C-alpha cells in the first residue's frame, strides 16, 4: 500500500527550540529537571544554556512527503528511538526532515498488520547533524481501509 513511498524524503523545515515550548513540554512529561526550565542552572551548565528534553523533537515539523499521507486517527505507535550528536539547546534553530525507510506487511492471527519505518533528522543552521529519530508506525485493517481511494 505504501511501498511506493520507500526512499522518499520531505524538504527541510526550520524549527526553533523555544524556551516557552521547552518549559511546557517538560511540564507535560512531568520532568521538572532544572536544566530544562531554570535559566540560571542552564547558564551554569557546560552548555551555557538550557537544554530541551530528549524526546522534544516529537514537537518539530518535519515537512511533508509528496504522495504520502497518513490519517490523523487510528495509527498505532510501535516504537521510537532518538540518537543524539549533542543535546538541543534552548534558543537554537533546528532544520528537520523525514524519510520513509521501509514498509512491511505481515499477516497476524486475526488480521494483517503493516509496519511503516520512518527516520527523522535534525541538523543545525550550518548542516551539522544533531539527532536522528527512528519511528515505527503500525497500520491495522481499519486504518488501511480508511486510506483507500
Amino acid at each position: 500500500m505504501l511501498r511506493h513511498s520507500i526512499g522518499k524524503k520531505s524538504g527541510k523545515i526550520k524549527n526553533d527550540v523555544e524556551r516557552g515550548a521547552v518549559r511546557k513540554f517538560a511540564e507535560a512529561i512531568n520532568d521538572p529537571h532544572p536544566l530544562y526550565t531554570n535559566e540560571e542552572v542552564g547558564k551554569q551548565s557546560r552548555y551555557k544554556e538550557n537544554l530541551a528534553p530528549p524526546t522534544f523533537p516529537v514537537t518539530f515539523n518535519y515537512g511533508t512527503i509528496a504522495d504520502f499521507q497518513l490519517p490523523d486517527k487510528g495509527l498505532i505507535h510501535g516504537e521510537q528511538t532518538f540518537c543524539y550528536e549533542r543535546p538541543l539547546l534552548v534558543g537554537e534553530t533546528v532544520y528537520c526532515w523525514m524519510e520513509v525507510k521501509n514498509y512491511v506487511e505481515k499477516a497476524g492471527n486475526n488480521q494483517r498488520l503493516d509496519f511503516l519505518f520512518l527516520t527523522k533528522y535534525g541538523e543545525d543552521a550550518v548542516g551539522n547533524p544533531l539527532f536522528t529519530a527512528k519511528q515505527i508506525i503500525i497500520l491495522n485493517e481499519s486504518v488501511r481501509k480508511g486510506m483507500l481511494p
Side-chain angles (χ1 to χ4, degrees):
M1 178 176 223
L2 293 172
R3 287 190 205 286
H4 69 281
S5 298
I6 296 172
K8 290 187 178 184
K9 299 176 184 179
S10 66
K12 293 181 183 178
I13 302 292
K14 179 182 174 186
N15 292 268
D16 294 316
V17 183
E18 298 172 342
R19 184 172 304 284
V22 168
R23 181 180 307 279
K24 286 180 184 178
F25 188 83
E27 289 170 0
I29 62 172
N30 198 27
D31 189 342
H33 196 290
L35 196 50
Y36 304 143
T37 58
N38 185 307
E39 288 186 53
E40 275 307 308
V41 171
K43 288 176 186 174
Q44 294 173 14
S45 76
R46 66 178 168 154
Y47 296 103
K48 306 299 181 210
E49 185 55 80
N50 292 104
L51 306 181
T55 55
F56 187 75
V58 300
T59 68
F60 289 154
N61 181 348
Y62 292 89
T64 58
I65 297 173
D67 302 321
F68 178 77
Q69 182 67 36
L70 293 175
D72 293 332
K73 296 179 182 178
L75 299 174
I76 301 168
H77 183 87
E79 181 179 326
Q80 189 160 12
T81 59
F82 296 88
C83 180
Y84 280 90
E85 298 299 319
R86 68 158 173 81
L88 298 178
L89 307 176
V90 167
E92 78 177 315
T93 298
V94 180
Y95 293 86
C96 299
W97 73 99
M98 68 178 155
E99 178 180 7
V100 178
K101 288 296 204 175
N102 202 1
Y103 180 73
V104 176
E105 299 171 352
K106 292 189 178 185
N109 291 336
N110 298 323
Q111 65 175 312
R112 188 182 95 200
L113 294 175
D114 297 353
F115 298 82
L116 178 65
F117 297 80
L118 299 175
T119 301
K120 297 177 176 181
Y121 303 91
E123 64 183 29
D124 67 15
V126 295
N128 296 313
L130 295 174
F131 69 87
T132 303
K134 295 183 180 184
Q135 182 178 16
I136 300 172
I137 299 170
I138 303 169
L139 293 82
N140 62 21
E141 189 74 30
S142 63
V143 169
R144 280 194 315 279
K145 283 181 184 178
M147 293 174 63
L148 294 174

